Amino acid sequence: MFNRHMLAAAALALSAGTVFAQSVPADPASPPRYDKREAWEHKRIESGKDNGSLTWRERERLQAEQARIRQQERRDKKDGVVTPQEQQQLERMQDRASKDIYRQKHDAQGAVSNGGDKR
């Protein structure tokens, strides 16, 4: 009889723990995927600056593009909710920016080949 009660209590505790785990959000403090991606794109731009694959103008343009994405993100968050459509728009903007970074880092121009203009 004692074992049956212990088994029932353990099963109840286990099922309650499962329900609780499902109702708690993953990590409310962690930034959404597009915030992490923005940080990654910033690192890519900085590495282009450091290794000379971006001219200062290219870097300025790419940073301005990232600023426009941040601006859009702030507008989207203003009402407290980023809708799935707004998330898709931010993803598209970041996809475009990522392609721009790649193109600029891999074009024939560079800080060194551009007359040493490293500003």
Side-chain angles (χ1 to χ4, degrees), residues 73-113:
E73 183 183 346
R74 278 194 298 273
R75 279 193 298 266
D76 292 346
K77 287 181 176 179
K78 203 171 195 174
D79 62 358
V81 175
V82 178
T83 67
Q85 292 82 11
E86 292 169 337
Q87 288 176 359
Q88 282 182 334
Q89 180 187 16
L90 288 169
E91 287 287 328
R92 280 192 305 271
M93 291 175 78
Q94 287 176 324
D95 288 344
R96 202 172 309 119
S98 179
K99 288 176 186 173
D100 290 343
I101 294 168
Y102 179 86
R103 267 194 301 273
Q104 293 300 318
K105 285 180 76 172
H106 293 88
D107 65 5
Q109 298 171 333
V112 176
S113 67

Side-chain angles (χ1 to χ4, degrees):
M1 183 125 171
F2 177 71
N3 287 338
R4 195 180 304 163
H5 288 296
M6 291 295 287
L7 185 60
L12 181 61
L14 184 60
S15 65
T18 303
V19 170
F20 177 74
Q22 291 174 351
S23 65
V24 175
D27 183 7
S30 72
R33 181 170 179 254
Y34 42 83
D35 287 341
K36 292 177 185 175
R37 188 166 172 191
E38 181 183 341
W40 173 246
E41 303 300 4
H42 175 72
K43 286 180 186 177
R44 289 177 63 205
I45 294 169
E46 287 302 307
S47 78
K49 176 187 98 173
D50 294 342
N51 68 24
S53 61
L54 291 174
T55 66
W56 71 271
R57 269 186 207 187
E58 290 171 337
R59 191 175 75 246
E60 292 295 317
R61 255 186 251 120
L62 293 170
Q63 288 172 338
E65 186 174 23
Q66 290 298 311
R68 285 190 298 276
I69 294 170
R70 281 190 304 276
Q71 216 172 28
Q72 183 63 46
E73 183 183 346
R74 278 194 298 273
R75 279 193 298 266
D76 292 346
K77 287 181 176 179
K78 203 171 195 174
D79 62 358
V81 175
V82 178
T83 67
Q85 292 82 11
E86 292 169 337
Q87 288 176 359
Q88 282 182 334
Q89 180 187 16
L90 288 169
E91 287 287 328
R92 280 192 305 271
M93 291 175 78
Q94 287 176 324
D95 288 344
R96 202 172 309 119
S98 179
K99 288 176 186 173
D100 290 343
I101 294 168
Y102 179 86
R103 267 194 301 273
Q104 293 300 318
K105 285 180 76 172
H106 293 88
D107 65 5
Q109 298 171 333
V112 176
S113 67
N114 197 20
D117 189 13
K118 291 188 178 185
R119 285 190 202 179

